[in-house]
Amino acid sequence: MATVLITGASRGLGLEFCRQYAQTGWTVIACCRNPEDAFELNNLASLQSNVQIETLDVSDFEQIGMLAHKLANLSIDVLINNAGLYADDRKHAFGQLDYQAWTKSFLINTQAPVKMAEAFLPQIKRSEKKLIVSISSLMGSIADNTGGGSILYRSSKAALNAAMKSLALDLKEQSVGVLILHPGWVKTDMGGINALIEADESVSGMRSVIDNFALSQSGSFIKYDGTQLPW
């Protein structure tokens, strides 16, 4: 049975990834900061015996290391770096930028996914699928940026894209693949009520991209519907 580890699993896209993978029979390791408050995730785990909930704050690298040690004997087919932060605020736009929030954005959106890949690489390498997936955003595309704003989020996601592209090249000889996915504008707490698609459509599309992944695609930046995106 294949295994997926998902960060930011208590709501939104992370929770939907857990639902869909659990329903297809995968072993799901669902990671979130406060499992005791994750009511929907706990309900899912009570109904699906293949869902295992683990405490993980991705901004705490010691916690990442401890969890990797706890799960040292597992094989992880797909690691999904889903946890993310949108810290931009109209009150703190250019001229009044919140540099602490910017630093936190880089920590969670850029550094944490790389740390997760480092920590869980042994488990990924011993699996069949051998795939690292990072949920990015079209807002991380420099070529697509025609609107400006959202400096914290855009820059941290652009940095994530760059880091994952390098990781794809570094790990290819070990047959470990890397995918950078744009989920679309999704109706979640982050995406808001005006977003264009529901979480189940986005996740279903991204799962299809993951299922059909070939190592030749490693390092690609892809939309949930399979469209290649500009850097």
Side-chain angles (χ1 to χ4, degrees), residues 37-190:
D37 297 329
F39 303 112
E40 289 184 81
L41 182 58
N42 279 292
N43 184 57
L44 176 65
S46 70
L47 299 172
Q48 300 274 175
S49 61
N50 52 335
V51 177
Q52 172 183 333
I53 302 175
E54 296 288 350
T55 301
L56 181 63
D57 180 347
V58 297
S59 69
D60 185 337
F61 288 5
E62 185 175 347
Q63 269 195 34
I64 292 176
M66 290 172 62
L67 182 60
H69 179 73
K70 178 181 178 180
L71 305 178
N73 294 324
L74 284 185
S75 296
I76 297 175
D77 292 86
V78 180
L79 164 64
I80 300 180
N81 289 307
N82 168 72
L85 173 68
Y86 184 90
D88 288 273
D89 184 338
R90 289 182 180 179
K91 295 178 181 178
H92 297 98
F94 181 71
Q96 293 182 311
L97 286 174
D98 183 338
Y99 284 88
Q100 286 189 326
W102 199 353
T103 298
K104 189 174 182 179
S105 296
F106 270 103
L107 175 63
I108 293 174
N109 294 346
T110 309
Q111 294 179 325
V114 176
K115 180 61 178 178
M116 288 292 296
E118 276 190 323
F120 287 95
L121 184 60
Q123 293 92 322
I124 295 165
K125 286 172 62 177
R126 73 168 65 102
S127 74
E128 290 189 17
K129 189 75 173 174
K130 296 182 178 66
L131 182 59
I132 298 165
V133 177
S134 287
I135 307 304
S136 185
S137 170
L138 187 58
M139 291 181 75
S141 168
I142 295 172
D144 186 73
N145 185 359
T146 60
S150 299
I151 289 175
L152 282 60
Y153 189 71
R154 287 185 186 277
S155 62
S156 64
K157 288 297 187 179
L160 171 65
N161 292 357
M164 289 295 132
K165 176 64 176 180
S166 284
L167 205 60
L169 296 171
D170 293 341
L171 296 177
K172 200 165 188 177
E173 288 186 358
Q174 301 178 58
S175 299
V176 175
V178 177
L179 268 178
I180 307 154
L181 297 181
H182 167 49
W185 188 12
V186 188
K187 293 178 182 178
T188 62
D189 290 345
M190 184 182 291

